[in-house]
Amino acid sequence: MASLNPVNYGTPRRSSDTQITLEIDGQSVTVPQGTSVMRAAIESGIEVPKLCASDMLEPFGSCRLCLVEIEGRKGYPASCTTEVSEGMQVATQTDKLNQIRRGVVELYLSDHPGESLTPEGHGDDELLELADRLDVTEVRYNKGRNHQLATVDGSNPYFDFDASRCIVCSRCVRACNEVQGTFALTVDGRGFASMISAGTDDDNFLSSECVSCGACIQACPTEALIEKDVVEMGMPERSVTTTCAYCGVGCSFNAELKGDEVVRMVPAKQGKANQGHSCVKGRFAWGYTNHPDRITKPMVRDKITDPWREVSWDEAIAFSVDKINGIREQYGSGALGAITSSRCTNEETFLVQKLARAVFNTNNVDTCARVCHSPTGYGLNSTFGTSAGTQDFVSVEKCDVILVIGANPTDAHPVFGSQMKRRLRQGARLIVCDPRAIDLVRSPHVQADYHLQLRPGTNVALVNSMAHTILSEGLENRVFVEERCDMDEYDGWREFILRDENSPENTEQYTGVPASMVREAARLYATGGNGAIYYGLGVTEHSQGSTMVMGMANIAMATGNIGRPGMGVNPLRGQNNVQGSCDMGSFPHELPGYRHVSDQNVRDIFEKEWGVTIGSEPGLRIPNMIDAATAGTFKGLYVQGEDILQSDPNIKHIAAGLAAMECVIIQDIFLNETASYAHVFLPGSTFLEKDGTFTNAERRINRVRKIQTAPAGYADWEITQLLAQALGYPMNYSHPSEIMDEIARTTPTFKGVSFDKIDALGSVQWPCNDDNPEGTPVMHVDTFVRGKGKFMLTPFVPTEERANRKFPLLLTTGRILSQYNVGAQTRRTANRLWHAEDWLEVHPSDAEMRGIKDGTLVAVASRMGETTLRAKVSERMTPGVVYTTFHFPETAANVVTTEFSDWATECPEYKVTAVEVRPCNTMSEWQRRYIDTREKQQQIESEQSVRDPDSVAAGFDAGDKEWEPAE
């Protein structure tokens, strides 16, 4: 159980080898040098009144409430801005101090409504709490000029700003600046006219640069900034700590409840990944968990053209078992497969791959992680010996040079993006490699030293040219290489890299990046101090994704930027449990812990544990399953929490494969696009409705704790267990902790992991074993996991997807702050207010050539298909490159993406699609029929609930145009 009111120590914790001893109110206190008097007092259990002070912010000293008396000093210094010194004697409670404090509080109350916005006492208003504590019961000042008629800014869908309650303590401004780094707020005016301003003509939060991270609300001491839900529902009564289910940062939150109803999600200060910060998604966009679109009862149908029938759990499971057994008897186990989810817990993912291997008797299991970060696993395992990032997030605080490649941290991983921006404001240097000018290239108080704006598909050429510069100019760390790496492999790599084909002057023709800029950036990375690489899907989702990961590992080893805080090679994982789904054995060739199915010793471990025989040959990946389905040999698929019809490339082919199957079982919270082809729908659970763990991008295993009961009655792990039991396999767990115990018994990197240990430590980073009983924040410290680091040859092979006369532009894709993945969750929240549809960013020169203006409806056509969306003319792109997001199913961005994929892992090449863009005045045929279908579905649902046995959920017809929605 988390605390509803965590202690506010007033100023941040300081670290120092020097300890200072002082006396506070007669009590001896020892703290690190640099600690404030306020923090020293509060850590010792001595409360000091305060309003402008927060342990999330640097000391400010404006409220005049934390005054203390210090022997030998005149006056009453502010304890928040006064550092401790040896032998100091401090008094925090004297008659004079209390008199001053009461007077200050009375002055504040003279321009304050005097009561909380909630009926529960003083609510979140620290000023009213102080008034109670100091026994300030009346205000002696006449009501002169005041701000009590100020209007409330309710423009933001999640919170209000009531200027009548504001004391201009600047905590919100400082939180926006210091914690979030957006600098959206300011204090406008002087004296009585001083007010917090959002800095826009409309002067409201919605039209400002505010990103709705919630830092200002968390900082506000007077309810001037307050969540609308708190005003409506009242103050929460209890709190449970859990983990956010959005991106791979893995933020810890305190879910605060009133009764059994969630009132708000507050970022946990003890969260080791987020350290008390949050973003708009994790902080506010959790309302989808109670959205009326949720399916709450199982449904089945014999054919995808039939109406759904609502049934009991027993009937749904029996229906599924009959279908699965029928397929197995007629076609064999190879005709069955499963897909795990990167949104579900480790324990749930582990059970799905176990279901495939131990119950279906097949290695046909894959995960959505393959379509994003599987090249990370392959590339880092080949070079370092493990398939994960090398550092913890806090390591960025020791970076001197940050190299961001194919990632957009401020949009896709915003909490870590804020942490990165803090380090940049402190003086770290920045190199951005991206076809698009992401916010980090230039934003308030942050500017990249170099933006290498390369052409999509040329990552490998760029990293090879950087390596060429490092070696040809003698910038490598020869001592590190000789001590830590395989020298034969290094010599071969060195000979390859120093070829003229890899020089910046030669690769410029492919990348479009001036050779001089490449050389300067490479010199900075090699010689600028601690250098860390952070990368995302702009690296992995290419035909040479694995090659590029190895290329980044090569330059990290060559410069010695590995094995210590402030450096390393760090993938920014997209979904909340992408790392975990990979760890849990979701790939057809690997058992949990990244061990190949061909290894008899590994199979022996699981065969003994599970009591079955496991095949030694890898199974089918998702593309192989779809190919086999269209060929008539793959017939049954169990999908937990994944929507391949929206998220995978070439969705016409995906639709054809799904339509050819005899049994598709979807387990999810909403009727997603893939469910249009399903025969069984099993209603799943959200992160608020289950126990378990997520593993974030820094290998941190965080607890997920059940807050409320799933409306359908079961958590996802329980549903998988029900299916296994009905199929005759003894899968009998009473709690997810028992599943984690099995993972620990069978997987060496998880040997020391347990729910009890995570609860005790807060979180654990694998590997956690006998050598590292409390986990491993930084990997490869003294030696690489594989022993010697291995340099890999990385020849640049241009993608087969090329711009040509018919399709002269290159389309690349990415994400936006307010939406998440395929949008199933965020589209069902007020986040739609910021991003209600996908847009196509087009460079002004390309737009002018085609007669395109802002807001123009355009057709985007490739050799695979066509879709339409609105254009946004933007100089973020270079001429010849266009960009869109993929958050809305009606956009169907993957209608146009191709079948090309990474050579090693079949991760799709989402980032390079040759297209043409032209103005149009109608939606594409696909979209028109999609919207028509949805309108028919909504009409049916309004007349007859989808939960009625006779209702219909729209499906897709697999006739002559198998990719189109059914009539």
Side-chain angles (χ1 to χ4, degrees):
M1 190 73 69
S3 171
L4 267 178
N5 298 297
V7 175
N8 174 10
Y9 293 96
T11 61
R13 182 188 301 277
R14 304 303 186 193
S15 298
S16 175
D17 293 333
T18 302
Q19 298 294 302
I20 301 295
T21 299
L22 68 159
E23 186 178 285
I24 304 177
D25 292 346
Q27 178 178 331
S28 179
V29 177
T30 301
V31 292
Q33 186 176 42
T35 300
S36 70
V37 170
M38 174 184 282
R39 184 166 188 120
I42 297 174
E43 285 183 351
S44 302
I46 301 169
E47 185 56 45
V48 179
K50 57 190 176 297
L51 281 177
C52 72
S54 166
D55 52 16
M56 295 283 289
L57 306 171
E58 291 301 316
F60 195 55
S62 72
C63 74
R64 311 312 295 165
L65 282 165
C66 71
L67 308 180
V68 294
E69 295 179 359
I70 300 176
E71 187 173 305
R73 295 194 190 182
K74 294 181 179 180
Y76 306 96
S79 61
C80 63
T81 57
T82 303
E83 291 186 4
V84 298
S85 62
E86 188 65 34
M88 177 184 282
Q89 295 187 34
V90 180
T92 70
Q93 304 294 330
T94 67
D95 291 342
K96 184 60 178 177
L97 288 173
N98 287 332
Q99 179 186 0
I100 294 171
R101 289 166 181 162
R102 283 195 295 270
V104 172
V105 168
E106 191 175 350
L107 283 169
Y108 281 132
L109 288 175
S110 70
D111 193 3
H112 185 277
E115 59 183 17
S116 172
L117 287 168
T118 66
E120 296 90 357
H122 51 70
D124 273 335
D125 196 315
E126 297 173 28
L127 174 58
L128 296 179
E129 180 186 10
L130 268 179
D132 287 347
R133 192 191 318 161
L134 295 171
D135 196 28
V136 179
T137 58
E138 61 179 351
V139 176
R140 294 167 293 171
Y141 305 102
N142 294 325
K143 287 286 184 181
R145 286 197 304 165
N146 60 66
H147 300 89
Q148 296 310 294
L149 296 179
T151 58
V152 175
D153 176 6
S155 60
N156 189 286
Y158 296 118
F159 62 86
D160 293 332
F161 172 56
D162 184 352
S164 73
R165 311 184 68 85
C166 180
I167 60 172
V168 200
C169 66
S170 294
R171 263 167 67 167
C172 61
V173 177
R174 290 150 56 213
C176 188
N177 297 353
E178 297 175 24
V179 178
Q180 169 57 30
T182 297
F183 295 84
L185 303 179
T186 188
V187 178
D188 188 27
R190 293 188 177 189
F192 176 81
S194 297
M195 293 188 70
I196 299 300
S197 170
T200 64
D201 292 338
D202 296 331
D203 203 24
N204 65 46
F205 276 78
L206 186 62
S207 62
S208 75
E209 294 181 350
C210 169
V211 294
S212 299
C213 68
C216 59
I217 302 168
Q218 196 168 354
C220 181
T222 64
E223 296 183 344
L225 284 157
I226 189 169
E227 297 96 330
K228 294 178 188 286
D229 283 346
V230 174
V231 176
E232 179 181 341
M233 301 170 62
M235 289 297 294
E237 301 164 339
R238 61 190 179 93
S239 179
V240 180
T241 301
T242 190
T243 303
C244 180
Y246 279 117
C247 78
V249 174
C251 295
S252 296
F253 276 86
N254 294 328
E256 296 189 350
L257 300 94
K258 188 170 188 176
D260 293 327
E261 194 169 4
V262 177
V263 176
R264 62 185 175 189
M265 299 289 288
V266 179
K269 289 200 295 185
Q270 73 272 20
K272 295 181 180 178
N274 58 316
Q275 300 175 38
H277 192 33
S278 60
C279 79
V280 63
K281 293 188 287 289
R283 185 73 152 87
F284 298 116
W286 47 269
Y288 70 89
T289 60
N290 300 313
H291 196 277
D293 283 355
R294 281 196 69 173
I295 305 301
T296 59
K297 292 188 178 179
M299 300 188 298
V300 300
R301 57 185 177 183
D302 293 311
K303 296 183 297 183
I304 62 173
T305 53
D306 290 344
W308 283 108
R309 291 187 295 113
E310 187 181 272
V311 297
S312 67
W313 275 104
D314 287 344
E315 186 174 348
I317 295 296
F319 184 96
S320 303
V321 168
D322 287 344
K323 289 279 190 180
I324 292 169
N325 284 336
I327 291 170
R328 185 156 45 187
E329 291 169 7
Q330 185 172 357
Y331 303 101
S333 295
L336 295 169
I339 298 176
T340 74
S341 173
S342 292
R343 288 181 289 171
C344 289
T345 65
N346 286 317
E347 295 73 20
E348 290 163 343
T349 303
F350 181 86
L351 287 199
V352 172
Q353 64 85 32
K354 181 176 179 178
L355 177 78
R357 292 184 162 109
V359 185
F360 292 176
N361 304 119
T362 179
N363 283 322
N364 295 340
V365 61
D366 204 359
T367 177
C368 57
R370 187 190 52 77
V371 303
C372 57
H373 267 287
S374 51
T376 286
Y378 187 91
L380 295 185
N381 189 57
S382 299
T383 51
F384 299 158
T386 190
S387 300
T390 63
Q391 319 291 125
D392 54 0
F393 286 143
V394 74
S395 173
V396 75
E397 295 177 0
K398 296 186 178 180
C399 284
D400 298 307
V401 179
I402 297 172
L403 177 54
V404 177
I405 306 179
N408 187 1
T410 56
D411 273 21
H413 305 86
V415 170
F416 176 68
S418 294
Q419 194 172 11
M420 181 183 288
K421 287 194 293 183
R422 286 199 295 275
R423 179 57 190 148
L424 291 169
R425 293 196 300 274
Q426 293 167 358
R429 310 285 295 277
L430 175 64
I431 304 165
V432 174
C433 305
D434 201 294
R436 185 169 176 262
I438 61 173
D439 286 347
L440 280 177
V441 171
R442 183 189 293 272
S443 60
H445 300 272
V446 169
Q447 181 173 339
D449 293 84
Y450 300 100
H451 178 203
L452 310 184
Q453 199 164 13
L454 72 169
R455 295 190 186 105
T458 62
N459 286 339
V460 173
L462 179 66
V463 76
N464 283 350
S465 65
M466 293 183 70
H468 182 96
T469 301
I470 291 166
L471 296 184
S472 64
E473 297 185 9
L475 306 179
E476 71 271 30
N477 187 333
R478 187 77 184 188
V479 172
F480 179 91
V481 172
E482 290 177 350
E483 289 179 354
R484 299 284 304 276
C485 302
D486 185 310
M487 288 306 296
D488 289 338
E489 301 285 357
Y490 171 75
D491 290 340
W493 174 75
R494 179 182 177 85
E495 186 276 327
F496 160 74
I497 285 294
L498 287 175
R499 296 175 188 171
D500 288 341
E501 68 193 61
N502 293 314
S503 71
E505 289 72 21
N506 185 66
T507 57
E508 182 178 337
Q509 64 182 307
Y510 304 109
T511 66
V513 182
S516 59
M517 185 180 293
V518 173
R519 287 190 178 276
E520 290 172 9
R523 291 170 191 142
L524 175 59
Y525 173 72
T527 65
N530 292 341
I533 299 173
Y534 295 94
Y535 70 94
L537 304 185
V539 161
T540 55
E541 291 179 346
H542 286 275
S543 58
Q544 282 201 286
S546 294
T547 308
M548 180 59 181
V549 173
M550 293 186 289
M552 295 184 299
N554 287 342
I555 64 171
M557 290 188 291
T559 56
N561 278 309
I562 195 78
R564 300 195 311 276
M567 46 183 63
V569 182
N570 308 284
L572 297 177
R573 304 280 188 164
Q575 297 189 62
N576 56 296
N577 203 34
V578 167
Q579 182 67 60
S581 64
C582 299
D583 298 341
M584 294 299 104
S586 295
F587 294 122
H589 63 290
E590 288 177 336
L591 287 157
Y594 304 97
R595 292 165 292 169
H596 205 278
V597 294
S598 63
D599 189 326
Q600 182 63 61
N601 293 328
V602 175
R603 293 203 310 279
D604 285 346
I605 295 170
F606 289 95
E607 289 178 348
K608 179 180 179 181
E609 181 76 31
W610 295 346
V612 299
T613 300
I614 299 173
S616 61
E617 291 296 323
L620 301 176
R621 295 167 172 162
I622 294 172
N624 311 130
M625 295 181 196
I626 297 300
D627 290 344
T630 57
T633 59
F634 188 88
K635 295 295 184 178
L637 183 62
Y638 172 64
V639 185
Q640 182 190 73
E642 177 62 3
D643 190 3
I644 62 173
L645 192 59
Q646 187 180 345
S647 63
D648 281 37
N650 191 4
I651 60 177
K652 297 179 187 179
H653 185 53
I654 297 290
L658 290 169
M661 297 182 195
E662 294 181 5
C663 179
V664 175
I665 303 171
I666 299 296
Q667 185 172 314
D668 216 314
I669 58 177
F670 301 114
L671 273 174
N672 58 26
E673 303 310 303
T674 309
S676 303
Y677 287 94
H679 304 84
V680 180
F681 189 94
L682 304 177
S685 55
T686 71
F687 78 111
L688 294 177
E689 300 152 1
K690 61 182 72 175
D691 283 296
T693 57
F694 294 148
T695 305
N696 75 351
E698 52 174 356
R699 295 170 284 102
R700 187 180 301 282
I701 308 165
N702 276 317
R703 281 280 278 116
V704 181
R705 294 179 176 87
K706 186 175 180 179
I707 311 297
Q708 57 197 29
T709 300
Y714 292 109
D716 287 295
W717 69 271
E718 294 174 301
I719 299 171
T720 304
Q721 179 166 280
L722 285 173
L723 184 58
Q725 290 170 339
L727 285 165
Y729 184 83
M731 193 179 282
N732 300 305
Y733 306 97
S734 61
H735 190 269
S737 60
E738 298 172 5
I739 306 173
M740 178 54 75
D741 291 342
E742 181 175 318
I743 295 167
R745 286 195 301 272
T746 57
T747 309
T749 50
F750 279 69
K751 182 180 179 181
V753 179
S754 68
F755 278 28
D756 287 343
K757 178 173 286 187
I758 297 172
D759 290 342
L761 299 179
S763 62
V764 174
Q765 289 176 267
W766 67 258
C768 177
N769 47 32
D770 294 340
D771 294 331
N772 305 281
E774 294 190 356
T776 310
V778 177
M779 297 195 70
H780 317 299
V781 174
D782 298 314
T783 185
F784 288 99
V785 171
R786 70 178 308 277
K788 295 287 189 178
K790 184 176 183 179
F791 286 85
M792 302 292 292
L793 300 188
T794 56
F796 170 56
V797 180
T799 175
E800 294 182 41
E801 182 70 3
R802 314 279 179 86
N804 53 44
R805 182 177 297 178
K806 186 174 182 181
F807 303 112
L809 304 174
L810 291 179
L811 170 69
T812 190
T813 62
R815 300 183 178 186
I816 199 164
L817 172 64
S818 59
Q819 296 293 339
Y820 171 72
N821 205 304
V822 297
Q825 295 149 274
T826 45
R827 282 186 284 108
R828 291 177 169 89
T829 70
N831 281 26
R832 287 185 67 110
L833 189 62
W834 290 283
H835 192 75
E837 61 180 319
D838 293 319
W839 289 72
L840 184 78
E841 289 188 14
V842 186
H843 189 272
S845 63
D846 292 323
E848 182 179 9
M849 187 182 303
R850 291 163 175 79
I852 295 171
K853 298 180 179 179
D854 261 336
T856 299
L857 190 66
V858 296
V860 181
S862 73
R863 59 185 175 81
M864 306 305 294
E866 179 176 309
T867 188
T868 60
L869 64 167
R870 298 197 182 278
K872 179 179 290 185
V873 179
S874 169
E875 292 189 351
R876 284 180 179 261
M877 311 308 301
T878 56
V881 181
V882 294
Y883 168 90
T884 190
T885 52
F886 55 93
H887 302 303
F888 291 82
E890 54 267 35
T891 300
N894 284 321
V895 165
V896 302
T897 51
T898 73
E899 76 283 5
F900 292 135
S901 61
D902 174 52
W903 61 271
T905 65
E906 290 193 82
C907 180
E909 190 172 49
Y910 292 116
K911 303 305 182 188
V912 188
T913 303
V915 299
E916 176 57 303
V917 178
R918 66 178 189 279
C920 66
N921 54 18
T922 61
M923 292 178 288
S924 70
E925 178 70 7
W926 193 96
Q927 290 170 305
R928 183 183 61 78
R929 294 169 68 86
Y930 172 91
I931 292 173
D932 286 348
T933 301
R934 289 298 177 263
E935 288 176 351
K936 291 176 183 176
Q937 179 182 350
Q938 290 171 1
Q939 181 179 357
I940 291 169
E941 290 175 353
S942 66
E943 296 171 355
Q944 191 174 26
S945 169
V946 73
R947 294 168 179 81
D948 186 286
D950 296 325
S951 67
V952 177
F956 287 75
D957 190 339
D960 294 335
K961 296 182 178 179
E962 71 275 0
W963 54 278
E964 294 181 352
E967 296 287 0

